[in-house]
Amino acid sequence: PPTLYLSSAASDVYKRQGAEFTYWTTNSFGISVTGLYSPAQLDAVATQFQGAIPEDLGNVHYIAGMVNATFRIRSLGSAGSLEPYFSVGAGIRHLEIEDVAAPEATSSTDPAATLAAGIRMQISNSLWFRGEVRNVASLYESPTAGGNKLQNDIGITIGFGIR
């Protein structure tokens, strides 16, 4: 039977936009709410496929919402303005896929977990620079292979924080 693999377009640069609000209950522990959005385009890559395949399978909208527990390590001495941190959390991930990609890919809302590590650098009393690596892992039901599959979405984030 024909096999159709979905991939993201190699020429596209994917940008993940988002926002996070953190309430620090102590100097080292905070609870945060995170929202993420990323648009992308789906292309088809044929393997063992007979006949013409569509080149453009439409767009996908990646939306995720998480609640996280964040732990920061307070630095001392000359590195006092650098604060490493890590975060764990859970939430949902929603993929909105245009119907042109069906039945190989369908829209879904799935449970997700997140794990992140980063560093904050103090620029002024109320402004921080932040760099982070975050993995959003989700279980989804595969429409073509059947059963649950694990997907890891890894992103590198840079941004600013205001106190």
Side-chain angles (χ1 to χ4, degrees), residues 14 16 22 29 32 37-38 46 50 58-59 64 67 71 102 110 116-117 119 123 125-126 128 138 144 148-149 155-156:
Y14 297 104
R16 183 170 72 175
T22 304
F29 177 77
S32 64
Y37 171 74
S38 181
Q50 298 172 3
N59 297 315
V67 175
F71 305 90
D110 307 303
I119 192 160
I123 296 173
N125 285 340
S126 60
W128 293 78
S138 56
T144 55
N148 287 333
K149 303 292 180 191
I156 297 172

Side-chain angles (χ1 to χ4, degrees), residues 75-128:
S75 299
L76 301 174
S78 62
S81 66
L82 296 177
E83 292 185 356
Y85 66 90
F86 64 96
S87 183
V88 296
I92 59 168
R93 182 206 60 169
H94 177 73
L95 292 178
E96 185 65 37
I97 299 174
E98 292 180 359
D99 289 339
V100 70
E104 286 82 9
T106 58
S107 298
S108 66
T109 301
D110 307 303
T114 186
L115 179 63
I119 192 160
R120 296 177 349 137
M121 182 177 71
Q122 187 173 9
I123 296 173
S124 69
N125 285 340
S126 60
L127 185 64
W128 293 78

Side-chain angles (χ1 to χ4, degrees), residues 32-91:
S32 64
V33 176
T34 305
L36 303 171
Y37 171 74
S38 181
Q41 181 179 349
L42 290 176
D43 292 333
V45 178
T47 303
Q48 302 172 358
F49 195 86
Q50 298 172 3
I53 62 168
E55 290 181 17
D56 181 6
L57 293 177
N59 297 315
V60 60
H61 300 279
Y62 178 100
I63 303 164
M66 306 284 169
V67 175
N68 306 297
T70 302
F71 305 90
R72 66 180 171 194
I73 302 165
R74 305 286 289 184
S75 299
L76 301 174
S78 62
S81 66
L82 296 177
E83 292 185 356
Y85 66 90
F86 64 96
S87 183
V88 296

